[in-house]
Amino acid sequence: MIKAKEITKSYGREQVLKGINLQINDGDFAVILGASGSGKSTLLNAISGLERPDGGSIFYDNSDISGLSDDELTKFRKNNVGFIFQQYYLLPNMTVSQNVRMGADLAQNSEYQSIIEAVGLGGKLNSYPSELSGGEQQRVSIARALAKQPRVLFLDEPTGALDEETGRQVLDYIIKLWNDKQFTIVMVTHNANIAETAKTVIRMKSGKIAEIYTNDTQKNSYEIGW
Amino acid sequence: MIIKKQGVKLMIPAIMAACAVFICALFLNYRQDLLLIESQIIPEQSVYFEAMKTTSVVVCAVAGGCLLITTAIMLIFYVKHYIDTHKKQLGILKALGYSRVKIAANFWIFGVSVLIGTSVGLCGAFCFMPWFYDIQNKDKLLPEVTLGFHAELLVFLVILPTVFFMALGIVYAIFKLKMPVLMLIKENFRSKARRTGHINNDGLFLENLKKTTLKSRKSLIFFLMFASFCYGAMTQMSLSMNDLASPVMGGMMLFIGLLLGFVTLFLAVTTVVDSNTQTIAMMKVFGYSQTDCKHAILDGYRPLSYIGFGIGTVYQYALLRIMVDVVFADMENVPTYEFDFAAMFTSLVSFVIIYEIFMVAYSAKIKKITVKEIMLRE
């Protein structure tokens, strides 16, 4: 369980997070929804241990990670979380297989090839990122994050750089993964339609949580508008 | 814009150019002045006279010439690196409607660093010359050599290199800007990897990354090896040539060796870290420690640096051996020269200490890299 208590964060004089309180249960599929500048990515960075908040506490079960040093946070990320970003950030000079090993080696996961096959890239083990389409690159970044066997998977606008069809495919794959493995997913998006695929929706506005609600029925990616 | 953002880095080729021109101007000017007294040379002085002429050419060619070529390679690399890492901004300018030539014209600025460097080198050489000539004239083995100004040195050592590098920056930018706008804008994170030989998908990630980092920028291998080569060769030469040349020459060699070693190492390691910012940031996001990042990105260069030091050691020995056995072969009372193990040991120990201090400093720089840096570049 992830619990955030009175999280604040400022950049210069601008307060981006203004006392955030939230709780994400184990196995939840939570979406942080908000317009540009609402503080959703900053919140994701804080609760995932990428950035330290200025104030407040973040608990993973009973451990507070808000006071950890840089080295301790690195170790925390190594053992607990996986990331998928809008821009993929694959290593351009390494093949699909080598990119996925970036995550797999941390978890000493020797089964990483089956994950590459599961994301439909079994035939492209030796391809470089520049030889793949945007959707394929995002699937490599998903495989890389999954190969790490994270407890919580954080996704920052994972479909933001993709066209509609590819975006729907990637989203569908993420939903399928969550249904199969039931690990915790926290996804940031500005798209209210995408939020309909989640179990829990945390809507942010101007650095505060405007509302938290649970979807009665989770839709798949082909049942939502884009 | 280029000067504001790259001011410090532009100083590096300027320093290199200054060192190169300093040595070349000093010895070429001396040689030109030597030629003016050729008619006064009596037969007993001819061997020494020829030796001095040859020494000037050898020092100029071996030290100054090598430095000039290296400065040229470094500048070409630097112009290329600058343009390659600023493709996105250039693409945006092109998208806004600026013509290729108009954008590229701004790259004349790279010639300014050469102009500053070569001018400082030439002025420095002329400031140093009276002292240098006094030392050469002190033994009275030749008629007095009078210091003169040779305008052709200004042309060949200052004006031509400046014009060449101004043109190089512009032409390379024009060539690069031929790319379609979208390619320029997107290429930062979609750069094409070259398929080189066998792909090893089985090795550990950190080991693969170490190899890939080395392979992806071969020019940096040259510069790192060159840095250690300069340090090894120049420091050992200055320490072991006490009997062969004046302390001034030794001091000059030491200064140039240290300067070149430091600036080249600084440029090369900075480029290694800068060009791998995205990789380092992602490694840290995933939970790789600072030690892992340093191991994968920087440690692969260590053995190559020591190889560079070894080549420098052999080079300085061969150079001094040639000077003693060939150039001064016909002269009497030339001191014997043997390989100086003490100088090598001193130089190696100081090199190891300096190199490791550099690595610690850059390890601290790696620690400061965050994922925000690469997100902000988007």
Side-chain angles (χ1 to χ4, degrees), chain A residues 13-141:
Chain A
R13 287 183 175 182
E14 191 188 354
Q15 193 172 22
V16 185
L17 298 180
K18 300 168 182 171
I20 301 286
N21 290 293
L22 64 83
Q23 182 175 314
I24 297 167
N25 295 321
D26 285 342
D28 199 354
F29 181 172
V31 157
I32 303 173
L33 175 69
S36 177
S38 60
K40 57 187 188 303
S41 289
T42 307
L43 177 61
L44 181 113
N45 291 344
I47 61 175
S48 63
L50 272 182
E51 270 192 304
R52 256 192 299 272
D54 296 336
S57 307
I58 296 156
F59 292 94
Y60 275 69
D61 298 330
N62 294 318
S63 314
D64 184 2
I65 66 158
S66 55
L68 297 182
S69 67
D70 280 348
D71 289 342
E72 287 167 335
L73 271 178
T74 303
K75 202 171 173 187
F76 163 79
R77 291 196 298 270
K78 178 183 174 185
N79 296 328
N80 293 283
V81 298
F83 292 92
I84 295 166
F85 296 99
Q86 180 178 350
Q87 296 296 339
Y88 334 127
Y89 299 130
L90 300 177
L91 309 187
N93 294 311
M94 301 190 93
T95 63
V96 166
S97 181
Q98 289 167 342
N99 264 286
V100 174
R101 281 208 74 158
M102 183 183 183
D105 282 7
L106 282 171
Q108 293 173 331
N109 177 3
S110 55
E111 304 298 314
Y112 64 95
Q113 292 211 354
S114 63
I115 299 170
I116 300 173
E117 277 160 22
V119 297
L121 294 171
K124 301 210 169 181
L125 288 175
N126 290 336
S127 299
Y128 287 98
S130 59
E131 296 166 340
L132 303 175
S133 69
E136 286 173 329
Q137 289 190 57
Q138 191 58 297
R139 279 189 278 154
V140 176
S141 85

Side-chain angles (χ1 to χ4, degrees), chain B residues 1-15 74-75 77-87 89-90 106-107 109-114 116 266-267 270-271 274-275 365 377:
Chain B
M1 183 187 79
I2 297 171
I3 283 186
K4 270 187 187 172
K5 286 191 173 179
Q6 305 294 319
V8 177
K9 284 186 185 171
L10 279 173
M11 287 297 291
I12 292 168
I15 292 170
M74 183 174 267
L75 263 159
F77 164 79
Y78 192 71
V79 171
K80 181 182 177 305
H81 179 70
Y82 181 86
I83 294 175
D84 286 346
T85 52
H86 290 78
K87 274 181 193 158
Q89 290 93 320
L90 298 175
N106 292 295
F107 285 82
I109 205 78
F110 285 100
V112 173
S113 72
V114 179
I116 294 169
F266 170 76
L267 179 74
T270 303
T271 310
D274 285 352
S275 56
K365 190 178 175 181
R377 286 186 190 183

Side-chain angles (χ1 to χ4, degrees), chain A residues 11 45 50-51 70-71 74 77-78 83 85 87-95 97-98 101-103 105-106 112 125-132 137 144-145 148 156, chain B residues 188-196 199-206 208-210 212 216 278-279 282-290 292 367 371-372 374-376 378:
Chain A
Y11 294 116
N45 291 344
L50 272 182
E51 270 192 304
D70 280 348
D71 289 342
T74 303
R77 291 196 298 270
K78 178 183 174 185
F83 292 92
F85 296 99
Q87 296 296 339
Y88 334 127
Y89 299 130
L90 300 177
L91 309 187
N93 294 311
M94 301 190 93
T95 63
S97 181
Q98 289 167 342
R101 281 208 74 158
M102 183 183 183
D105 282 7
L106 282 171
Y112 64 95
L125 288 175
N126 290 336
S127 299
Y128 287 98
S130 59
E131 296 166 340
L132 303 175
Q137 289 190 57
R144 181 177 64 178
K148 198 168 167 279
D156 192 354
Chain B
N188 273 354
F189 288 108
R190 294 202 64 183
S191 55
K192 283 189 178 169
R194 280 188 204 137
R195 292 189 169 275
T196 47
I199 295 170
N200 177 17
N201 281 333
D202 298 327
L204 289 171
F205 169 73
L206 287 176
N208 274 333
L209 180 59
K210 197 161 132 182
T212 310
S216 62
Q278 184 194 339
T279 305
M282 283 313 292
M283 286 177 76
K284 291 174 80 175
V285 164
F286 269 68
Y288 283 94
S289 67
Q290 188 189 343
D292 288 336
K367 194 175 183 179
V371 74
K372 268 220 145 61
I374 57 169
M375 285 175 171
L376 289 172
E378 285 292 278

Side-chain angles (χ1 to χ4, degrees), chain B residues 118-369:
Chain B
T118 51
S119 303
V120 169
L122 191 69
C123 293
F126 272 96
C127 291
F128 188 71
M129 271 176 211
W131 192 24
F132 180 72
Y133 276 53
D134 281 349
I135 292 165
Q136 303 301 327
N137 288 329
K138 205 165 69 179
D139 297 338
K140 300 198 182 295
L141 295 171
L142 294 173
E144 182 150 337
V145 183
T146 317
L147 174 58
F149 177 75
H150 303 279
E152 62 269 31
L153 293 184
L154 179 68
V155 175
F156 285 107
L157 297 178
V158 178
I159 297 170
L160 284 181
T162 303
V163 172
F164 173 75
F165 281 104
M166 279 182 178
L168 178 82
I170 294 169
V171 170
Y172 188 74
I174 289 174
F175 172 73
K176 276 285 170 186
L177 287 166
K178 263 186 179 175
M179 240 183 248
V181 172
L182 279 178
M183 284 280 284
L184 284 168
I185 291 174
K186 287 184 178 174
E187 206 171 17
N188 273 354
F189 288 108
R190 294 202 64 183
S191 55
K192 283 189 178 169
R194 280 188 204 137
R195 292 189 169 275
T196 47
H198 171 69
I199 295 170
N200 177 17
N201 281 333
D202 298 327
L204 289 171
F205 169 73
L206 287 176
E207 291 309 312
N208 274 333
L209 180 59
K210 197 161 132 182
K211 285 177 197 158
T212 310
T213 306
L214 280 177
K215 277 184 192 169
S216 62
R217 284 184 183 267
K218 293 192 181 75
S219 50
L220 288 176
I221 294 177
F222 167 78
F223 286 121
L224 269 156
M225 288 180 78
F226 177 72
S228 48
F229 167 87
C230 282
Y231 187 91
M234 300 287 203
T235 52
Q236 287 182 69
M237 212 184 284
S238 70
L239 292 172
S240 57
M241 71 193 300
N242 287 342
D243 297 335
L244 299 169
S246 64
V248 177
M249 284 283 283
M252 208 168 72
M253 286 285 182
L254 184 65
F255 175 73
I256 289 169
L258 291 177
L259 194 64
L260 282 179
F262 281 130
V263 294
T264 318
L265 194 61
F266 170 76
L267 179 74
V269 184
T270 303
T271 310
V272 171
V273 174
D274 285 352
S275 56
N276 286 290
T277 305
Q278 184 194 339
T279 305
I280 294 165
M282 283 313 292
M283 286 177 76
K284 291 174 80 175
V285 164
F286 269 68
Y288 283 94
S289 67
Q290 188 189 343
T291 313
D292 288 336
C293 296
K294 180 181 153 288
H295 168 73
I297 304 297
L298 294 175
D299 285 0
Y301 292 99
R302 184 177 282 110
L304 297 165
S305 295
Y306 290 132
I307 291 171
F309 183 90
I311 296 170
T313 303
V314 174
Y315 166 85
Q316 61 89 27
Y317 176 70
L319 189 65
L320 290 179
R321 195 78 271 164
I322 289 167
M323 291 288 280
V324 171
D325 293 350
V326 180
V327 179
F328 296 117
D330 299 331
M331 288 182 62
E332 291 171 8
N333 302 324
V334 176
T336 52
Y337 170 71
E338 295 300 333
F339 186 79
D340 190 338
F341 284 98
M344 188 196 75
F345 183 73
T346 309
S347 177
L348 180 62
V349 170
S350 61
F351 175 73
V352 171
I353 292 169
I354 291 165
Y355 187 86
E356 294 310 323
I357 289 173
F358 252 85
M359 291 302 116
V360 170
Y362 277 90
S363 184
K365 190 178 175 181
I366 284 174
K367 194 175 183 179
K368 287 180 187 162
I369 294 173

Side-chain angles (χ1 to χ4, degrees), chain B residues 28-66:
Chain B
L28 285 177
N29 204 77
Y30 183 68
R31 188 177 186 278
Q32 293 301 95
D33 289 331
L34 266 181
L35 294 176
L36 296 176
I37 60 159
E38 195 162 12
S39 56
Q40 303 166 41
I41 300 296
I42 54 173
E44 295 80 52
Q45 294 171 327
S46 64
V47 173
Y48 186 72
F49 178 76
E50 289 303 323
M52 289 309 287
K53 265 171 49 184
T54 315
T55 305
S56 299
V57 173
V58 169
V59 173
C60 186
V62 175
C66 285

